[in-house]
Amino acid sequence: MLFAPATCPRLIVKVGSALLVDPDGAVRRDWLAGLVADIADRVRAGQQVAIVSSGAIALGARRLGLAKGGRASLEDAQAAAATGQIALCQVWAELLGARGLTAAQMLVTLDDLEDRRRYLNAAATLSRLLALGVVPVINENDSVATAEIRFGDNDRLAARVAQAAAAGAVVLLSDVDGLYDANPHTNPEAKHVARVERIDTVAAMADAGSASGMGSGGMVSKIAAARIATAAGAHLAIASGRAERPLSGAHRHTLFVAEKTAPARKAWLAGGLTARGSIHVDAGAARALADGGSLLAAGATRIDGGFARGDLITVEGPGGTIARGLAEYDAAEAVRLLGRRSDEHAAILGYAPRAALIHRNHLALL
């Protein structure tokens, strides 16, 4: 692959279920061995590589004889994940070991990367493993995750891992070779998009379906992943994994170009996937935020949700979500301050208040 992900010091490679597991639920060992050979070549060239691997549920479902690939119910998916994760990591460890590489396993939940302290702990572990020359194999901990506390797809997980690892690029290996202006499975006239400078210009092209029926992601999840990765300063490529050596050669792909690197805390805020509530603002407040200001109560028009001080919330402008930040007030207090000037806050609340609903140091524009 002759693009930025091939040369960055630290790379995240995401492998989809349909590539790793065949329709009968068995590991595609020959293909996986080719991918591991590619990874070994990159490590020998000085690149640090981490893998975000799907496949645990599909493997576990086969071993347990579960219907619908282990996705008939949450309980089936959790049982399949617990069983399949062992098999998945055994295969990765064996094939990486045959190339002289040490594998490590990291299982994370959404909360591990949404809570700031746990995020920093995960980031420190990941960085240390990579510095030691280890190849971390990362997956969502589906054996305990529920609908409310899970990523739901490994595309966005890979982007968050890239952010935590301060990686320069992410490669999403999938059953498609990139983004098209229409669904190529149903429209033979669909045109491939090779490079994306601004995600907003292509978001409407996404199709939510997973072509294989085995994974949980589609093009919508990949574009969401691209938003997270590029906002954190990492390029993201969507590439087909159908080739025998998918990381070797100039295979066709779509490259989402990274934005200017954001400070680590603001990149974490921008990449957050969960929010406890939202504050709606008028056009004047939206312009002030765009100019680098804090969110003042005078420009707020509505509060949604039951958030507490310190919770991650979104800022909704006239045209949609414009920022994420950490609330300086509980929702009940913020409601009382809507539209009021800062010099009125003390009289309203009965104590000396904080100056803003969200301070600019704890706010990231989207």
Side-chain angles (χ1 to χ4, degrees):
M1 287 187 173
L2 304 178
F3 54 89
T7 57
C8 67
R10 190 170 280 182
L11 175 68
I12 309 300
V13 178
K14 179 262 181 177
V15 184
S17 295
L19 297 174
L20 198 142
V21 182
D22 68 24
D24 294 326
V27 175
R28 300 177 63 227
R29 290 184 66 94
D30 291 345
W31 176 85
L32 189 57
L35 172 61
V36 168
D38 284 345
I39 291 170
D41 287 346
R42 292 185 175 279
V43 173
R44 279 194 295 271
Q47 195 170 43
Q48 296 175 343
V49 180
I51 301 162
V52 174
S53 177
S54 303
I57 292 177
L59 289 176
R62 184 194 189 211
R63 294 194 170 197
L64 298 175
L66 296 174
K68 297 183 179 180
R71 297 182 184 274
S73 67
L74 175 61
E75 291 78 8
D76 277 3
Q78 290 174 326
T83 305
Q85 193 62 45
I86 293 176
L88 181 65
C89 280
Q90 283 176 337
V91 172
W92 278 112
E94 177 187 338
L95 293 178
L96 287 166
R99 294 282 176 173
L101 298 173
T102 299
Q105 180 188 47
M106 287 186 67
L107 295 177
V108 298
T109 63
L110 179 63
D111 281 353
D112 292 326
L113 299 183
E114 297 286 279
D115 177 88
R116 181 65 176 169
R117 180 180 294 179
R118 287 156 68 180
Y119 169 88
L120 292 174
N121 287 337
T125 300
L126 190 57
S127 290
R128 183 58 179 152
L129 288 170
L130 290 168
L132 290 170
V134 175
V135 178
V137 179
I138 302 144
N139 197 3
E140 184 163 13
N141 193 356
D142 286 313
S143 62
V144 299
T146 64
E148 292 78 19
I149 58 165
R150 68 191 305 264
F151 284 91
D153 62 79
N154 275 353
D155 298 320
R156 289 180 293 180
L157 172 59
R160 283 294 254 172
V161 167
Q163 184 185 77
V170 182
V171 175
L172 303 180
L173 293 178
S174 185
D175 49 8
V176 294
D177 59 2
L179 179 68
Y180 287 76
D181 63 0
N183 188 333
H185 297 292
T186 58
N187 185 347
E189 302 299 321
K191 294 182 174 59
H192 184 267
V193 179
R195 186 181 178 92
V196 177
E197 301 280 351
R198 293 183 59 242
I199 295 176
D200 289 342
T201 63
V202 299
M205 298 178 189
D207 186 295
S210 175
S212 69
M214 197 179 305
S216 54
M219 195 54 67
V220 169
S221 75
K222 290 171 176 54
I223 288 181
R227 287 187 186 277
I228 297 169
T230 56
H235 301 285
L236 183 138
I238 302 171
S240 174
R242 295 301 182 186
E244 291 184 7
R245 298 288 296 271
L247 297 182
S248 299
H251 304 303
R252 188 158 75 164
H253 59 275
T254 296
L255 178 65
F256 292 82
V257 179
E259 300 174 14
K260 182 180 178 181
T261 303
R265 182 177 178 82
K266 293 207 172 187
W268 172 76
L269 287 169
L273 299 176
T274 57
R276 301 294 184 183
S278 61
I279 299 177
H280 294 253
V281 302
D282 59 26
R287 288 192 296 271
L289 295 180
D291 291 337
S294 298
L295 174 56
L296 304 180
T301 60
R302 192 175 93 218
I303 303 294
D304 290 332
F307 55 85
R309 184 186 179 218
D311 283 346
L312 178 66
I313 59 175
T314 63
V315 181
E316 306 293 331
T321 304
I322 59 174
R324 291 178 181 270
L326 302 181
E328 293 284 349
Y329 287 94
D330 295 345
E333 294 175 321
V335 166
R336 298 172 63 189
L337 300 179
L338 285 176
R340 308 303 287 267
R341 299 190 313 273
S342 298
D343 58 9
E344 299 177 276
H345 293 186
I348 294 169
L349 297 178
Y351 64 89
R354 289 165 289 280
L357 297 183
I358 304 177
H359 193 275
R360 64 185 180 184
N361 290 345
H362 306 305
L363 184 142
L365 297 175
L366 302 180

